[in-house]
Amino acid sequence: MTTRPDVLRAAPALTLALFLVPIGAGLLGTLAPAFGVLPAIGESGFTLDAWRTLAEQPGIDASIRLTLTSGLLSTALALVFACGFAALASSRPGIARLERALAPLLATPHVAVAIGLAFLVASSGLLVRVVSPWLTGWERPPALAIVRDPYGLSYVAGLAIKETAFLVLMVLAAQGQVRAAQALAAARALGYAPLVAWAKVVLPAIYRQIRLPVYAVLAFSLSNVEVALVLAPGTPPPLAVLAMRWFSSWDLSLYPVAAAAATLQLAVVVAGIGAWRVAEAFVKRIHRAWCERGRRTGLAGPVLALGGAGGVVSGVAILAAIGVMALWSIAENWRYPDALPRALSLRTWERALPTMSDLVSTTAAIAAAASLLAVILALACLENEARRDLKPGARALWLLYVPLLVPQIAFLFGAQVALVRLDLDGTLTAVIWAHLLFVLPYVFLSLADPFRALDPRYARIAAGLGASPWRTFFTVKLPMLARPVATAFAVGFSVSVALYLPTLFAGAGRIMTLTTEAVTLSSGADRRVVGVTAFLQAALPLLVYAAALAGPGLIAARRRRVTLREGTP
Amino acid sequence: MRGLVLDDVAITLDARPLVGPLSLDVAPGEVVTVMGPSGSGKSTLLAYVGGFLAKAFAARGRVLVDDLDVTGMPPEKRAVGILFQDDLLFPHLTVGGNLAFGLRAGVREASRRRAIVEEALAQAGLAGFADRDPATLSGGQRARVALLRTLLAEPRALLLDEPFGKLDAALRQDVRAFVFARARDRGLPTLMVTHDAEDARAAGGRVVEVG
C-alpha cells in the first residue's frame, strides 16, 4: 500500500486561511491607522487625532443615527415580510406556489434592485408618470425627494425589499428542518387560528435556525455602500458612505480619519447586533408569556398577513424594477410625464455595446473564477468531512459567516494596503480573491446540505467494487450531485456579480465590473445608459441560474435517450 | 345525539376509493378502534375528522360533534382534540407552558391558570413538573403531558392516531390505561386508529376494520 500525502486533509485549513487571513490582516490594517499608526506616510505614534477629527465632522452623529435606524428597521421589516410569507404559505397552497419566483429575486444584485426602484418611485419615475398630470396635476416632476429622502425611508424600503427574498429562502429551509407542519397541526387541533399557531409554535423553532442569516442581513444593512449610494440621503450619508468618501479622496491626510470611520463602522455593527440580541431576549420572554395566556386568536394574525403581503409586494417590486430598467434601456424618447416611451429602439444598446462587452466579460470572468474556486474548496472540505466521518460543529458555521458579519469597509481598506505591499493591488487575482471571501460562504451553505444528505451507501458500494475514494468521488458522488453543484456555482456567481466594495478596493479602482459601473452611472448619467448597465447586471446572474437549473436536466435527458436507443433491440 | 358521528364518509385518492363509505356513531365515553394495515387510509380518515385532510384527497360525507356539523370547518373550530404518534410538545415552552398553551383563554388571571395547570399535573402523578423542560421527560411522561394539554383545551371529541406506537412495551400499558381512563371520565367520544390488536383489546370497545 502506498501512502501519499493527502491534500484533502489540508482543505479545511487552507479554506479557512484563504478567508480568515485577509480579514484579520485587513482589520489590523484598518485599526492601526485609525490610531495613528500608518508607516506608509511616516506616522507611527499612537494618537487619537483621527478620532478627534472624526468627532468634529459636521453631521457625524446624524450619520450614525441614520446608519443604525435604517439598518435595524430594514432588517426587522425584511424579517416580518419573510415570516409573514412563510406563515401564509404554510396554510395557503396558492401563496406557497409563489416560492418558485424566489430564484430570480435572489439572483438580482442589490444595486440593480436599488436603481430599478429609483426608476420606479422617483419624483420623475414611472409611478408618478402613470398618475400625472391627470390625477396629480404635476406638469413637471414635483420637487419631492422621494428617492434619497432625508429620513432614509426609500433606503430602508430598498434594503428590506431585497433582503426579504434571502430571508424567505432561509425561513423556508429552516421550516423544512423543524417539522413545522406537525407542530402547526397540533396547535390547530388545540383551537389556534393558523397564523397565530405559526407565530406561537413555528416561529420560535425556526428563529434559532435563521439567527445567523438574520445577523448577516443586519450587518449588511448597517454597513453597505452600494445601496446607500443609490437610495440613502447624502447629507449626511450613512457611515460607510462617509468612510468611503474619505478613502477615495486623494488626500492622504484623510486616511487616518477614513480608517477611524471604518473602525467606527465595525463598532456600529457590533452594537447593532448586540442591540438585536438584547431585543431577542426581550421578545423571547414576552413570547413565552403570550403563549401561556392561551389566546387562540389575536393581533399576530393580521400582522403576519400584512407582513406576508409585504413579502409578495417586495417580490413584485423587484420584478417591476427589472422591467422598468429594461424599458428605459430601449426607450428612444421618454419625456415626463409620458407614462410610456414614445418610441423604442436599440440605439442605446448599440452605442453601449463596446463598453458593455468589456464590462460583461470582466464581470463574468471574475464571477466564474471565484465561484469555481469556491465550489472546489467547498467540495474538498465536504469530501474530507465525509471520508473522515467528521461532524461539523456550530462553531464552524460561525467561522463561515465571518465575512458576512464583519463590515466590508472595516477590513477591505486594510486588506488593500496589504495587497499594495504584495504588489497585487489592481490585479484580477486580487479581485477574484476578494470575491472568494464572500462567494465561499454562500457556495458552501448551498452545497453542504445536499452533500451531507447523499446516501453514504453509494460510496460504500463503489468501494466494495474496488473503486478508490477519488474515483468514487468523481464517478459516483459528483455526477449524483450535478444539480446542487450547478446551483451552488450559480449562487456564487450571482453573489460575485453583486459585489461592489471588494471590487473597488482589491481592483484599486482600475478593474470595472457591471456593478461598479452601474453605481458610478447611477448618480446622474443618462437613464437609458443606466438602464442598459443595470439590466445587464440583473440579467447576467439570471442567465447563469437558468443554465444551472437546465444544464444537469439536459444531461440526464440525453442519458435516458441513449439508454433507450441502446436498450431497444 | 351527543357524541361523534361519521355520516356516510368516503375518501378517495385520484378517484380511487380509499376509505368507506363508513357511518359510525361514537357515544360519549366510548372508545371505537379503527384497525387496518398500513396504507389502508385509517390515518387519512382521522385527518378528515380532525380537519387536516391533505388537498390530494377528496372526501364526501359529514362529521358531527354533539350534533354540530363540523364538516366544512377548519381544525381549530372543531373542538376535536388529537393525539399523534409523536407527542409534539413544544420545545420552546416548559411542561407547564405547554399545558397553559392548551388551557382555554377564558381563564384570565395568571395565578388561576397556573393553579389549574399544577392541579392537572398533580392528578397525573407529575406534581412539580411545571417548570421542567419537556426534553428532560421520559417517553411515558411526555405522552401524559400531551394528553393533559389536549384535555385542557376542553375538546368535545378525541382522536388518537396510533398514540402508543412509539412507546416501549412496558410503558405502553400504563399510558394506554391513563388515556382511556381520562377519556371515559370526561365522557369524550374517542376514535382511535391503530394496527396493534393489543390497543384495540385494551380499549375494550367496538372495532371497525378498514382496508
Side-chain angles (χ1 to χ4, degrees):
Chain A
M1 208 176 122
T2 54
T3 48
R4 268 182 304 175
D6 194 348
V7 284
L8 210 53
R9 198 183 280 268
L14 176 70
T15 308
L16 280 180
L18 266 177
F19 70 82
L20 290 187
V21 168
I23 291 172
L27 278 177
L28 272 180
T30 306
L31 277 170
F35 294 96
V37 184
L38 189 57
I41 56 170
E43 303 275 350
S44 57
F46 177 86
T47 154
L48 291 175
D49 285 353
W51 291 92
R52 245 170 254 129
T53 319
L54 184 64
E56 285 159 9
Q57 292 297 321
I60 183 79
D61 48 341
S63 174
I64 296 172
R65 209 161 43 236
L66 173 71
T67 307
L68 276 169
T69 50
S70 55
L72 290 166
L73 190 61
S74 62
T75 307
L77 267 180
L79 185 60
V80 172
F81 287 178
C83 287
F85 181 83
L88 281 182
S90 64
S91 57
R92 285 176 209 188
I95 299 285
R97 270 197 288 278
L98 295 177
E99 285 168 33
R100 285 176 207 158
L102 211 50
L105 302 183
L106 284 166
T108 311
H110 286 88
V111 171
V113 172
I115 291 175
L117 284 177
F119 281 9
L120 273 180
V121 303
S123 56
S124 62
L126 183 67
L127 294 184
V128 169
R129 286 170 191 238
V130 167
V131 293
S132 298
W134 56 275
L135 184 65
T136 57
W138 293 332
E139 293 289 346
R140 53 183 62 217
L144 277 174
I146 303 179
V147 167
R148 316 190 69 186
D149 62 291
Y151 305 104
L153 296 179
S154 59
Y155 177 46
V156 167
L159 285 172
I161 283 171
K162 173 59 189 155
E163 295 299 349
T164 296
F166 175 61
L167 287 182
V168 164
L169 179 77
M170 291 296 138
V171 170
L172 292 178
Q175 223 170 225
Q177 288 171 1
V178 297
R179 301 202 302 170
Q182 283 161 296
L184 215 49
R188 290 186 71 183
L190 292 169
Y192 285 84
L195 294 180
V196 177
W198 194 93
K200 288 193 174 182
V201 305
V202 179
L203 181 59
I206 59 157
Y207 189 75
R208 283 216 297 244
Q209 314 257 339
I210 62 165
R211 180 181 277 147
L212 270 174
V214 168
Y215 292 169
V217 168
L218 181 58
F220 179 82
S221 303
L222 285 168
S223 66
N224 82 90
V225 169
E226 57 270 50
V227 182
L229 282 175
V230 181
L231 292 177
T235 47
L239 194 55
V241 175
L242 216 49
M244 188 62 208
R245 276 187 199 163
W246 290 322
F247 276 136
S248 51
S249 72
W250 290 103
D251 187 354
L252 268 186
S253 68
L254 277 177
Y255 262 36
V257 188
T263 308
L264 182 60
Q265 176 68 62
L266 179 65
V268 163
V269 168
V270 171
I273 294 180
W276 191 274
R277 281 211 90 135
V278 171
E280 267 174 17
F282 187 65
V283 169
K284 194 175 168 185
R285 289 182 60 172
I286 295 177
H287 185 272
R288 181 173 286 200
W290 179 54
C291 284
E292 292 178 0
R293 270 203 300 279
R295 290 273 315 272
R296 262 57 171 174
T297 54
L299 214 55
V303 168
L304 279 176
L306 219 63
V312 173
V313 169
S314 297
V316 172
I318 294 180
L319 297 180
I322 299 175
V324 75
M325 288 183 303
L327 195 54
W328 264 110
S329 76
I330 51 169
E332 179 63 33
N333 186 354
W334 195 358
R335 291 215 191 96
Y336 185 89
D338 296 346
L340 289 171
R342 293 233 169 115
L344 301 177
S345 87
L346 288 174
R347 242 176 24 150
T348 319
W349 281 90
E350 281 161 20
R351 250 180 305 167
L353 198 63
T355 338
M356 287 305 144
S357 63
D358 277 358
L359 287 173
V360 167
S361 51
T362 313
T363 309
I366 293 168
S371 311
L372 193 64
L373 279 172
V375 167
I376 292 170
L377 286 169
L379 281 174
C381 289
L382 288 165
E383 175 69 6
N384 179 56
E385 182 187 300
R387 282 195 206 168
R388 265 167 253 298
D389 199 21
L390 304 173
K391 293 274 172 290
R395 220 172 301 152
L397 201 60
W398 272 94
L399 281 180
L400 205 56
Y401 267 91
V402 164
L404 311 182
L405 294 175
V406 179
Q408 297 178 1
I409 199 155
F411 69 88
L412 283 171
F413 169 67
Q416 194 199 9
V417 175
L419 286 173
V420 173
R421 286 259 174 84
L422 296 170
D423 211 14
L424 273 176
D425 69 315
T427 62
L428 269 181
T429 313
V431 175
I432 291 167
W433 190 358
H435 279 220
L436 185 63
L437 305 186
F438 303 93
V439 169
L440 189 61
Y442 289 105
V443 167
F444 191 92
L445 290 172
S446 128
L447 255 181
D449 284 340
F451 194 98
R452 288 174 184 151
L454 197 66
D455 193 331
R457 287 174 301 179
Y458 286 111
R460 283 177 211 151
I461 286 178
L465 298 172
S468 71
W470 283 112
R471 187 161 162 232
T472 304
F473 176 76
F474 283 111
T475 60
V476 178
K477 289 188 181 176
L478 213 48
M480 287 181 78
L481 289 166
R483 192 177 290 271
V485 168
T487 307
F489 179 85
V491 167
F493 194 93
S494 68
V495 169
S496 167
V497 169
L499 289 173
Y500 174 68
L501 276 189
T503 318
L504 212 58
F505 273 106
R510 293 199 288 275
I511 291 179
M512 298 295 288
T513 62
L514 283 168
T515 300
T516 57
E517 183 72 4
V519 172
T520 311
L521 290 176
S522 71
S523 55
D526 183 347
R527 273 193 184 165
R528 287 170 294 189
V529 183
V530 181
V532 170
T533 319
F535 177 75
L536 271 176
Q537 196 214 4
L540 188 60
L542 264 179
L543 278 176
V544 174
Y545 245 98
L549 291 180
L554 286 177
I555 294 170
R558 216 181 89 194
R559 189 171 57 224
R560 276 192 290 274
R561 265 205 311 279
V562 170
T563 329
L564 203 64
R565 221 177 292 133
E566 288 172 352
T568 33
Chain B
M1 70 161 262
R2 293 184 54 77
L4 175 66
V5 176
L6 275 61
D7 178 19
D8 195 31
V9 170
I11 303 174
T12 54
L13 175 61
D14 302 330
R16 282 183 296 110
L18 185 68
V19 186
L22 179 72
S23 289
L24 191 62
D25 295 352
V26 188
E30 185 188 8
V31 181
V32 172
T33 305
V34 177
M35 286 202 62
S38 55
S40 61
K42 55 188 191 307
S43 284
T44 311
L45 176 68
L46 222 57
Y48 173 68
V49 178
F52 294 108
L53 194 65
K55 283 272 184 294
F57 298 96
R60 69 173 165 91
R62 294 190 307 156
V63 178
L64 293 92
V65 178
D66 290 347
D67 280 334
L68 177 67
D69 187 344
V70 301
T71 314
M73 289 185 182
E76 62 270 20
K77 302 269 190 227
R78 297 188 176 205
V80 173
I82 306 187
L83 278 189
F84 299 96
Q85 193 170 35
D86 295 301
D87 51 65
L88 296 174
L89 295 182
F90 303 127
H92 64 290
L93 298 175
T94 58
V95 169
N98 267 281
L99 296 190
F101 188 91
L103 179 60
R104 67 194 162 83
V107 184
R108 287 191 171 275
E109 315 90 283
S111 57
R112 181 95 189 84
R113 293 183 73 81
R114 174 94 190 172
I116 292 175
V117 164
E118 286 185 346
E119 194 190 317
L121 281 169
Q123 283 179 3
L126 294 167
F129 274 61
D131 292 326
R132 293 270 292 268
D133 187 314
T136 64
L137 268 54
S138 72
Q141 291 167 335
R142 293 174 64 100
R144 283 164 202 251
V145 174
L147 177 71
L148 292 177
R149 184 176 71 177
T150 299
L151 294 181
L152 282 172
E154 299 180 5
R156 288 201 291 271
L158 184 61
L159 306 176
L160 306 175
D161 189 359
E162 308 216 19
F164 318 117
K166 286 205 172 159
L167 298 171
D168 51 45
L171 275 174
R172 204 173 296 170
Q173 232 163 3
D174 251 21
V175 175
R176 235 175 346 221
F178 178 79
V179 170
F180 294 145
R182 292 289 157 139
R184 286 207 184 92
D185 286 354
R186 296 280 190 114
L188 284 174
T190 301
L191 191 62
M192 171 170 70
V193 305
T194 181
H195 61 267
D196 183 351
E198 197 54 45
D199 284 350
R201 217 168 301 139
R206 283 180 288 153
V207 175
V208 180
E209 300 271 353
V210 297

